[in-house]
Amino acid sequence: MRKTYQMEDLDCAVCAAKMEDAIRKIDGVESVSINYIMQQMTIEADESRLAGIMKQASKACRKIERNCRIIM
Amino acid sequence: MTGKQRKNLIRIIVAVVLTVLAAIFAPDGWLGLLLYLLPYVVVGADIVFDAVTGIFRGRFLDEKFLMAVATIGAFAIGEYLEAVAVMLFFQVGELFESIAVGKSRRNIMALMNIRPDKASVLRQGEEFEVSPEEVKVGEKIVVRPGERIPLDGMVAEGTSSVDTSALTGESLPADISVGDKVISGTVNLSGVITVEVQSEYSESTVARVLELVQNASSKKARTENFITRFARVYTPCVVAGATLLAVVPPLVFSQDFGEWLHRGLVFLAVSCPCALVISVPLSFFGGIGRASKEGILIKGSGFMESLARTKQVVFDKTGTLTEGRFSVSQIHPVGIAEDELLRLAAFAESSSLHPIARSVVAAYDGEIDTTLITQMQEHSGRGVEALVKGQRIYAGNRDFIEKVAEMPRISATGTVVHVAKENEYLGYITLADSIKPHAKEAVAQLRALGVRKTVMLTGDREDTARRVGEELQIDEVYAQLLPEDKVAAVERMIPECSPLVFVGDGINDAPVLTRSDVGVAMGALGSDVAIEAADVVLMDDKLSKLPRAIDISRRTMAIVRQNIVFALGIKGLVLILGAFGIVGMWAAIFADVGVMILAILNAMRTLAQKSK
């Protein structure tokens, strides 16, 4: 399933690329693309596991940029 | 400016004042260090904090860490002012980036400001204001002049005109009346209309278009991927260079440690590929935004890249190069004037619903006084007869007319309507699927843009296809093709000359759209299949949008290339000159922050590009 989330305080484009890398490694994620300019993350993942995946993704993002949040 | 941006601006101003004061008053020694540390802490404390916490999370090479090392290093070798300046300008750059990106985002949102926020729905005769999502299929909504039509539907009551410019870029309003389809996102201009809703908001044109524009990332450009990969190796390389510079000359050649450490720090200051990583996607984003403003939706920067390099354009005929409707192409009168022949035919056929009859009537400019027409009789599949001002007029095919009048030998191709008055043959009218206005111009423009080959594919008959092909000066014409033949033809043509752009109307040609390098669907307003299958969607059916799309893509690519060359050039230059000690920290600051600001400003030009 494909879903788009709004992100907040994503302030660096290099970080966005790093977040993509980190999230792609999460089990169950088929594809992820972060649009830095729109501050949006489009993720394609197994729907039944989406909640868990998003929790991990959000953690991965905070690890890369302290203030960055995914609005869910 | 957001609160966060304002806060950062204040920090920067305070730090500038403190730095100037320190530069004027600071004594040598530890007191001077303290005075410079003050602005450094104001402007850079959070960076140093993030850098330190970053280390514990295993991130050594992020930009904050590198900035922290560069500035602390500069303090260590006594270059206090440079240390503060590097941090200060780093923050200036960050602030500028944040403002510029926010502005671009808002500009694009404004371009696509088509989201309707409310709908006035009629329930039990009363009007309720609800959000468009709450309206169900089959319900009726009221749209007043000046309001945006919130949902797709059919006009149930009233007449008006609509402004479709937000979706199609077309500035002429379109007239609508009962029975016409209206499309969400367009603006009702003149009259109050009641619309019967035909699809839910989430499936409506406006929702689809917004989704498409905002998620135009289905295929990233190779340039964009290259920059991401480049950024991944650039920073480690520059950091390695910095380390070598600081360590090897002093240790191996017993050079002055302070001097070489300084050169190493210069390297660190230019170690961020920010200028590229931000300006390249920003350029594509602006280009895609600009195109959507003109009714051209491009589904990803990758398609923009291919469009810019277009070598071959393959057109579907019906509905793309031609209107897909019959219209009068030639009038051949015998013994009377041309318009008299057309007038009589139009009068005779005025009440017929046959498409050919409708086309003849449409070609006649004058008024049709229906009181003059009596005894109209339709002979299905053959023609019509009617009394016009008391004279019997026949209009129809050869078999039909031959029965009443003597006909000369005629060799006409295409669809022909013969006309006779009583027993006298008056001539014939030929009808053809007319070529779209501007089609010829668009094909010529494509050639002027450097497209090597134009091809037309059609399921139509050979002679008709040839005629259209010749008129439009299309290089190759393939006629009498089945849909699967079209796919095969495109597959054969791609290796010969690519990128290949296929243009169709989205009806029956979805497989070809998918198979070609760039599939362009035109006249797609309201056609779901086309929007799904195509890579580029032209919202209205004007062929002139295609050269425009290529033009926008080219200009965008040019700006992307300028930024890459400029950013890499300046950084490379500063790295080389810095290694030899010719330039110092100030040049590095320019190569980092200055280049980024200039690249962003250049990238923002993509959004503003005007049509020629």
Side-chain angles (χ1 to χ4, degrees):
Chain A
M1 194 194 71
R2 209 179 152 98
K3 227 175 149 161
T4 302
Y5 295 93
Q6 196 65 41
M7 299 177 78
E8 217 176 54
D9 284 335
L10 171 61
D11 282 343
C12 103
V14 187
C15 308
K18 284 183 190 160
M19 288 175 193
E20 277 185 6
D21 282 349
I23 293 169
R24 204 167 287 130
K25 284 187 195 126
I26 298 173
D27 195 32
V29 175
E30 279 161 47
S31 77
V32 60
S33 146
I34 294 179
N35 185 335
Y36 167 65
I37 295 148
M38 294 307 295
Q39 307 254 311
Q40 272 172 349
M41 174 191 292
T42 307
I43 193 164
E44 214 175 332
D46 193 348
E47 189 169 5
S48 56
R49 291 157 66 192
L50 194 67
I53 288 171
M54 286 317 292
K55 204 174 266 172
Q56 283 184 63
S58 157
K59 211 169 131 192
C61 291
R62 266 203 309 279
K63 206 168 145 186
I64 292 160
E65 201 167 8
R66 193 161 41 95
N67 297 319
C68 179
R69 280 200 323 123
I70 304 173
I71 300 168
M72 284 186 262
Chain B
M1 242 188 259
T2 65
K4 199 174 150 193
Q5 287 168 347
R6 202 169 294 121
K7 210 176 90 195
N8 282 343
L9 180 66
I10 292 167
R11 280 169 62 195
I12 289 168
I13 293 170
V14 169
V16 168
V17 172
L18 287 174
T19 312
V20 170
L21 288 177
I24 297 170
F25 299 110
D28 288 338
W30 63 270
L31 196 62
L33 174 64
L34 268 185
L35 272 178
Y36 276 111
L37 270 177
L38 222 56
Y40 182 79
V41 169
V42 169
V43 85
D46 56 335
I47 305 283
V48 176
F49 176 78
D50 278 351
V52 173
T53 51
I55 297 172
F56 292 113
R57 286 167 171 175
R59 288 183 291 116
F60 289 101
L61 292 181
D62 76 348
E63 48 177 352
K64 289 173 179 169
F65 174 76
L66 296 169
M67 281 301 139
V69 172
T71 50
I72 292 168
F75 271 117
I77 57 172
E79 301 281 1
Y80 305 151
L81 180 60
E82 286 183 2
V84 178
V86 168
M87 192 56 93
L88 194 58
F89 280 103
F90 175 73
Q91 290 284 33
V92 170
E94 295 278 290
L95 177 65
F96 181 81
E97 178 198 326
S98 156
I99 292 173
V101 169
K103 189 166 153 49
S104 292
R105 179 163 44 225
R106 275 194 306 280
N107 281 347
I108 285 167
M109 298 299 244
L111 285 185
M112 293 313 293
N113 184 18
I114 53 173
R115 188 189 299 280
D117 34 48
K118 64 177 181 63
S120 302
V121 67
L122 283 175
R123 284 173 189 160
Q124 283 108 39
E126 266 188 83
E127 226 177 276
F128 295 93
E129 203 162 280
V130 297
S131 85
E133 285 91 343
E134 293 169 35
V135 182
K136 292 185 196 70
V137 174
E139 284 193 301
K140 290 204 168 103
I141 52 170
V142 179
V143 187
R144 299 201 158 70
E147 286 179 349
R148 201 171 287 284
I149 297 171
L151 295 134
D152 294 347
M154 206 174 73
V155 179
E157 266 174 62
T159 52
S160 181
S161 54
V162 286
D163 174 3
T164 61
S165 61
L167 285 174
T168 64
E170 168 62 60
S171 50
L172 277 179
D175 290 328
I176 48 158
S177 57
V178 175
D180 284 338
K181 277 193 85 159
V182 288
I183 286 158
S184 52
T186 58
V187 176
N188 181 19
L189 290 179
S190 47
V192 179
I193 49 171
T194 309
V195 175
E196 187 179 319
V197 176
Q198 290 179 326
S199 63
E200 276 177 33
Y201 179 74
S202 60
E203 314 242 298
S204 68
T205 308
V206 68
R208 257 171 226 276
V209 167
L210 281 171
E211 154 122 16
L212 216 146
V213 174
Q214 286 167 11
N215 300 323
S217 56
S218 67
K219 190 180 164 206
K220 280 191 184 174
R222 278 184 304 173
T223 323
E224 215 169 321
N225 289 329
F226 161 75
I227 292 302
T228 317
R229 278 202 308 277
F230 174 82
R232 237 168 258 160
V233 292
Y234 174 82
T235 307
C237 287
V238 174
V239 172
T243 318
L244 289 178
L245 270 184
V247 174
V248 175
L251 285 185
V252 182
F253 306 103
S254 48
Q255 301 274 328
D256 175 45
F257 181 67
E259 167 63 20
W260 287 93
L261 180 62
H262 187 239
R263 292 186 192 181
L265 296 177
V266 169
F267 262 51
L268 286 190
V270 282
S271 64
C272 181
C274 313
L276 292 173
V277 175
I278 293 149
S279 76
V280 171
L282 193 63
S283 306
F284 280 123
F285 194 70
I288 289 173
R290 176 71 229 176
S292 41
K293 163 86 177 162
E294 296 184 26
I296 303 163
L297 307 184
I298 301 174
K299 284 197 190 169
S301 52
F303 301 116
M304 191 162 240
E305 201 170 40
S306 304
L307 267 181
R309 297 188 301 122
T310 307
K311 286 284 177 311
Q312 182 171 206
V313 179
V314 178
F315 298 96
D316 188 27
K317 184 178 85 69
T318 311
T320 305
L321 291 171
T322 65
E323 301 276 9
R325 290 191 301 268
F326 283 105
S327 70
V328 170
S329 63
Q330 281 169 326
I331 303 173
H332 297 273
V334 176
I336 58 167
E338 273 192 21
D339 33 337
E340 181 61 12
L341 178 67
L342 181 61
R343 192 180 71 91
L344 289 175
F347 271 62
E349 301 198 282
S350 62
S351 54
S352 168
L353 293 175
H354 192 277
I356 292 177
R358 301 317 309 157
S359 312
V360 171
V361 173
Y364 176 66
D365 311 326
E367 198 97 6
I368 293 177
D369 185 351
T370 45
T371 59
L372 299 175
I373 307 159
T374 50
Q375 296 182 15
M376 192 277 195
Q377 242 185 305
E378 196 152 0
H379 300 269
S380 180
R382 294 155 48 100
V384 297
E385 58 169 301
L387 270 182
V388 179
K389 283 199 256 177
Q391 288 176 308
R392 190 157 295 275
I393 304 293
Y394 301 89
N397 64 15
R398 188 171 191 104
D399 293 349
F400 181 61
I401 302 296
E402 257 175 353
K403 298 227 165 82
V404 297
E406 197 163 318
M407 290 177 65
R409 194 184 288 273
I410 291 157
S411 65
T413 53
T415 309
V416 179
V417 178
H418 296 278
V419 185
K421 181 165 79 180
E422 306 292 349
N423 295 327
E424 183 191 353
Y425 183 67
L426 295 180
Y428 64 93
I429 296 166
T430 56
L431 294 135
D433 185 2
S434 62
I435 288 167
K436 280 191 184 166
H438 310 303
K440 191 171 178 179
E441 221 175 296
V443 173
Q445 275 173 15
L446 288 175
R447 196 160 289 124
L449 282 166
V451 171
R452 284 210 205 116
K453 203 161 110 186
T454 50
V455 180
M456 184 175 91
L457 305 180
T458 179
D460 215 341
R461 279 173 29 206
E462 189 83 31
D463 57 338
T464 323
R466 289 258 159 256
R467 196 179 48 75
V468 173
E470 268 161 38
E471 166 130 26
L472 295 175
Q473 294 176 353
I474 283 174
D475 301 329
E476 285 176 21
V477 173
Y478 297 95
Q480 284 164 310
L481 299 177
L482 298 170
E484 55 267 35
D485 299 336
K486 293 187 187 175
V487 178
V490 162
E491 277 175 350
R492 201 185 57 241
M493 285 185 274
I494 287 176
E496 286 166 16
C497 188
S498 64
L500 179 149
V501 173
F502 175 81
V503 196
D505 59 2
I507 302 164
N508 295 330
D509 50 14
V512 197
L513 285 174
T514 332
R515 188 59 197 87
S516 42
D517 296 321
V518 183
V520 181
M522 57 187 299
L525 208 53
S527 160
D528 304 350
V529 193
I531 293 185
E532 291 302 320
D535 306 317
V536 176
V537 177
L538 307 181
M539 297 299 284
D540 61 13
D541 56 1
K542 285 212 191 64
L543 210 51
S544 54
K545 291 266 163 76
L546 184 65
R548 179 68 185 138
I550 293 178
D551 187 40
I552 291 175
S553 305
R554 289 241 174 111
R555 292 192 207 195
T556 305
M557 290 307 295
I559 288 173
V560 166
R561 270 193 293 274
Q562 285 161 15
N563 277 343
I564 293 176
V565 170
F566 171 68
L568 288 184
I570 299 285
K571 287 197 185 221
L573 196 68
V574 168
L575 285 177
I576 293 167
L577 295 179
F580 289 104
I582 300 168
V583 298
M585 207 51 116
W586 294 101
I589 291 172
F590 172 74
D592 188 44
V593 180
V595 166
M596 182 178 86
I597 290 179
L598 291 174
I600 287 178
L601 288 176
N602 195 26
M604 288 170 83
R605 289 199 304 137
T606 51
L607 189 63
Q609 53 186 313
K610 288 266 150 50
S611 52
K612 266 184 260 180

